[in-house]
Amino acid sequence: MRVVSTLLAVAFCFTAGTVFADPARKALPPTIAIIIDDMGHSLVEGERLANLDQPLTLAFLPYRPHTDSLARLAYKQHKEIMLHAPMANTRNYGLGPGGLTPEMDEQSMATTLRRALQSIPHVQGVNNHMGSLLTQQLQPMDWVMKELFRYPVYFIDSRTIASSVAGDVAAAYRIPTMTRDVFLDHEQTEEFVDRQFKLLIKRAKENGSAIGIGHPHKVTVDYLEKHLPKLDEQGIAIATVSGLWAMRNGNREMFAEGEKQAIRPAFAKKD
């Protein structure tokens, strides 16, 4: 069981290592969490991200060539691990293995999602990969959250479309949930990433915290390597997603002991 004291020790830190384990004694600074989606394809950029000093959260696509090895490396390097669950989109882009589509019935969707979770070592959370079609649909989201409710995982709505109901359904199932605030790199230039990163910091200053989502593009990794170490001097903290959730929820644990069933690692099928 993940405990809040561990989250705080690992996640609520400036990049120089200052820990805020007692918010009553010292107010937490504006805090960001950065999720890197689409992990598992690129070994080089994946290793660079895993080896960064800061507590990033890495979201892995299921069954990709480097998903297993990179997730294990990232966990050893104190990163938080998520399943980046492929969901149907409005543009009919291919989902690859582990995809969830409107044509599935409840059992197929639950089995596919369960096997994807089992394929990700040390998984603690889930967010949607694409999903602009599926996340608008109440019944599929109900089936997804009904399955996720069984396990000690949180759900982050990547919010790939404004009319997403995914986060609301997760909340209805009492799954710990939050929503993406800023996409960092849907244009792959340093100037764009810089503008979005500054917007993420602005949102954190306005609201106390904010969640950004990026991808393992070289330009993004180059930018993070350069700019994450500078957060301390700006008075900005960086946390894992679990750490940020704890900060927003009075430092309470996400799950009580024995409340959820463990995710049992398996060599899962790609149905």
Side-chain angles (χ1 to χ4, degrees):
M1 180 62 60
R2 299 178 294 277
V3 295
V4 172
S5 60
T6 302
L7 290 175
L8 291 172
V10 173
F12 290 150
C13 61
F14 282 124
T15 56
T18 303
V19 177
F20 294 88
D22 186 357
R25 293 178 60 187
K26 186 167 184 178
L28 289 170
T31 304
I32 62 172
I34 296 178
I35 300 169
I36 302 296
D37 284 351
D38 294 355
M39 292 291 294
H41 283 297
S42 173
L43 181 61
V44 172
E45 304 307 335
E47 288 179 340
R48 291 176 67 197
L49 288 160
N51 287 316
L52 288 176
D53 291 334
Q54 295 76 24
L56 300 178
T57 301
L58 305 182
F60 286 85
L61 290 161
Y63 318 116
R64 270 44 175 195
H66 306 293
T67 287
D68 187 85
S69 61
L70 283 175
R72 294 181 190 279
L73 171 65
Y75 181 77
K76 289 179 181 178
Q77 297 298 98
H78 309 295
K79 304 303 182 288
E80 192 158 282
I81 309 302
M82 298 175 65
L83 164 65
H84 193 41
M87 298 185 188
N89 58 83
T90 57
R91 298 188 180 184
N92 294 316
Y93 292 146
L95 300 180
L100 305 176
T101 68
E103 294 74 32
M104 289 178 166
D105 61 20
E106 180 177 1
Q107 185 59 51
S108 297
M109 191 165 290
T111 300
T112 299
L113 181 57
R114 185 182 315 126
R115 289 173 174 170
L117 279 168
Q118 291 172 331
S119 76
I120 310 294
H122 309 292
V123 63
Q124 292 183 232
V126 178
N127 72 342
N128 53 293
H129 170 58
M130 297 189 283
S132 55
L133 178 63
L134 201 72
T135 61
Q136 296 184 77
Q137 299 183 16
L138 184 59
Q139 186 173 67
M141 286 299 98
D142 183 75
W143 293 342
V144 165
M145 301 310 165
K146 183 178 179 181
E147 180 65 23
L148 292 184
F149 177 73
R150 300 170 60 188
Y151 311 108
V153 294
Y154 56 78
F155 178 80
I156 302 300
D157 189 350
S158 300
R159 201 78 173 176
T160 56
I161 193 164
S163 52
S164 171
V165 299
D168 290 338
V169 178
Y173 271 91
R174 302 191 309 280
I175 296 169
T177 188
M178 298 185 292
T179 300
R180 181 271 313 163
D181 294 290
V182 176
F183 279 122
L184 296 176
D185 56 2
H186 45 285
E187 292 181 21
Q188 294 175 41
T189 66
E190 183 178 359
E191 293 76 17
F192 185 84
V193 174
D194 182 62
R195 184 161 68 249
Q196 295 300 103
F197 190 76
K198 289 174 179 175
L199 176 60
L200 179 66
I201 291 174
K202 180 175 182 287
R203 295 278 174 83
K205 288 179 176 179
E206 292 170 347
N207 302 315
S209 63
I211 298 173
I213 290 181
H215 301 82
H217 305 309
K218 184 177 185 301
V219 65
T220 305
V221 183
D222 288 346
Y223 186 90
L224 294 178
E225 280 185 338
K226 180 178 180 181
H227 289 275
L228 289 183
K230 300 178 181 179
L231 289 175
D232 189 7
E233 63 194 53
Q234 299 176 55
I236 304 296
I238 182 167
T240 62
V241 168
S242 288
L244 193 65
W245 186 91
M247 186 185 79
R248 291 181 179 181
N249 289 273
N251 295 341
R252 66 182 176 90
E253 297 183 29
M254 280 186 174
F255 308 104
E257 187 71 35
E259 178 184 3
K260 304 289 183 177
Q261 72 178 64
I263 298 170
R264 302 186 182 278
F267 294 103
K269 296 180 181 179
K270 302 180 182 180
D271 297 351

